[in-house]
Amino acid sequence: MELMTVDPRSLKDNPDRARQSKSSPQSDALLCASIKAIGVVQPPVVKLDPDGGNSYIIVFGHRRAAQAAAAELTEIPVLVADPSDDLGAMQSFAENIAREPLNPVDQWRAIERLVAVGWTEESIALALALPVRQIRKLRLLANILPAMLDQMARGDMPNEQQLRTIAAAGQDEQAEVWKKYKPKKQDPQVSWWEVARALTRTRMLAKHASFGDDLAQAYGITWVEDLFAPADEDSRFTTDVEAFLGAQQEWLSNNLPKRGAVIEANEYGQAKLPPKAQQVYGKPGKGDLTGWYINARDGSVQSVAYRMPEAKKPKVLKGADGVETVVDEIEAPKARPDVTQKGLDMIGDLRTDALHEVLARAPIKDDTLTALLVLALAGQNVTIASGASDNPYGHAKCAPHAVRLIGEDGQLSFDRETLGWVARSVLIEVLSLRRNRSDSGLVARIAGDAIGADQFLPSMASEEFLSCLSRTALEAVAETAGVPGRIKVKDTRAAVVEHFADDRLVLPAAAIAPDASEVSAWATRFAAVASDPDADDEAEPSTGDDELPETAPHEETEESGGVGDDDFREAAE
């Protein structure tokens, strides 16, 4: 073949070319940008027009010629084929179908060769019409274990976040994790999520550091730049958690304000106040104290205002001779509550199970279902991320249900039945009456009352539950049920269990339905907040109304048998 230069606009299309469909505008723009930056790297192959004249027909390279013309090049190199060569449809088809794009690992190696000869990341991105972020992502492969690179070269690539996590780990760490998660014969795909999780290291961000460069140097902290973070924020971080927390602690000790005290934080990053201290949610007063602590999750220095109860004044007795004597008051021992903490936990679990069962089984009108979803969003276990807060995992539980509403075209697509079941599934995920961080509070009890969840509470006449009642409460249950009391508590429990063998016992104080006064107080409080956002600044946060009162009367509930659909319809209405 002969190499020559021609005007790309003078070339004619080959009628036998295999690629007849138009390429995407993005692909054409990429090729055009590349030609503008570095020219035509691989010359198109042409041949003389058999119909005569000095014109040439393109055999291979139609897109290169077209985009060279679009780039306003007046000359490009071409290879002129021998007229005796039969460069027909078969060769055009074979030339196109045999092409395979470079895999990411080969792309990275090519980028590294360009960097070695003086190309910058920005110039490479410009020449290839790629984002600089993509070039930097590929350059992360320089830190990847060779065995992992071989797997990635086969097209099995992790996502960007996983790749960043793996690249941040040392080669020794990667090798150790790869032994466990490398592909097996029966499963050639790698679970990159598990690889990244095993190599995840806690990051402490520089923007959370209160200490300066002097303490950073003293503790040997080396900042690493996160190349994928937004350009307008401090993206430095360190994985040396102990050194970071040590520097924060020293800074805090040296800069503790007046009436400030260093306190500890729990595993969730919340402050652990001194015994009997009450947190101040509004504006601190003159006598209030400030506790400073380090959030173990992100290493930031935070503070909380609290007040201690007033010290009791000693009681002074004046004798007949006029001599005053100071007498220390002895606090009376606290009476045992009617239900132990274990019993309250059991009630929370029973309430939650009953609520979830009725949500899954009961007929619920559409309007009621909508109202329940609104109530669930007001639960104290729900966090809404706004411009002033961040909730990294609030969506994780409900997203698997929400995707059922998306059609194959990526648009909302559902029928009435699917929507109803998705709504129920979301409510089951969110609403809880358990005595832990998942507790939804009063709204879950209101929701349960609306759909008759009390009817699904199981009998509490078991040895395990009754052992959580005080003697007074147990005897009250026995008396209400008409069971004669026994001398020993265990005998009374056994008699109550036997009495309710074929019946159901639900303590009234353990019912899901709340008192009307509780609901009214809750509604009044938040109605005031809606009209005046500052009205609730000094209010105590809602902690739910699930704990049973210590002096609550215990009576036997009315006898109830099976619950049919009619009962649920009445409850839902």
Side-chain angles (χ1 to χ4, degrees), residues 553-573:
H554 293 265
E555 300 176 1
E556 178 188 348
T557 58
E558 295 182 3
E559 179 177 350
S560 59
V563 182
D565 287 349
D566 292 337
D567 298 306
F568 286 115
R569 292 192 181 95
E570 292 176 4
E573 293 170 0

Side-chain angles (χ1 to χ4, degrees), residues 57-73:
I57 294 177
I58 303 171
V59 181
F60 311 131
H62 291 80
R63 289 185 62 240
R64 279 167 277 165
Q67 295 309 314
E72 300 181 353
L73 298 185

Side-chain angles (χ1 to χ4, degrees), residues 344-381:
L344 294 176
D345 289 339
M346 292 178 65
I347 290 174
D349 289 347
L350 295 176
R351 283 173 166 175
T352 303
D353 292 343
L355 177 60
H356 290 178
E357 187 174 357
V358 72
L359 283 171
R361 292 176 48 190
I364 304 175
K365 289 186 175 181
D366 292 344
D367 291 346
T368 303
L369 204 57
T370 303
L372 294 182
L373 287 169
V374 176
L375 269 179
L377 287 176
Q380 65 186 32
N381 62 328

Side-chain angles (χ1 to χ4, degrees), residues 524-543:
T524 302
R525 173 190 171 195
F526 286 101
V529 174
S531 59
D532 181 7
D534 297 327
D536 197 46
D537 283 349
E538 298 183 1
E540 294 284 342
S542 174
T543 57

Side-chain angles (χ1 to χ4, degrees), residues 401-415 418:
H401 304 297
V403 297
R404 296 169 60 187
L405 304 179
I406 307 299
E408 294 181 356
D409 58 354
Q411 303 293 321
L412 277 175
S413 177
F414 53 85
D415 54 36
T418 300

Side-chain angles (χ1 to χ4, degrees), residues 7 60 97 116 158 184 232 242 259 307 320 335 340 360 421 454 528 533 539:
D7 188 334
F60 311 131
I97 202 171
K184 309 296 189 296
D232 57 348
E242 292 185 4
R259 298 188 63 78
R307 63 174 60 104
T340 64
W421 282 113
D454 276 330

Side-chain angles (χ1 to χ4, degrees), residues 19-97:
R19 197 186 298 273
Q20 297 286 341
S21 58
K22 291 184 178 181
S23 54
S24 67
Q26 295 84 356
S27 178
D28 287 342
L30 171 62
L31 181 57
C32 184
S34 176
I35 290 174
K36 283 182 178 180
I38 59 177
V40 177
V41 177
Q42 182 180 357
V45 177
V46 301
K47 67 178 180 178
L48 279 171
D49 187 350
D51 295 335
N54 294 323
S55 59
Y56 292 91
I57 294 177
I58 303 171
V59 181
F60 311 131
H62 291 80
R63 289 185 62 240
R64 279 167 277 165
Q67 295 309 314
E72 300 181 353
L73 298 185
T74 57
E75 289 185 340
I76 63 170
V78 295
L79 290 172
V80 182
D82 192 315
S84 61
D85 290 344
D86 183 15
L87 301 175
M90 176 54 73
Q91 286 189 342
S92 176
F93 179 43
E95 195 268 349
N96 281 278
I97 202 171

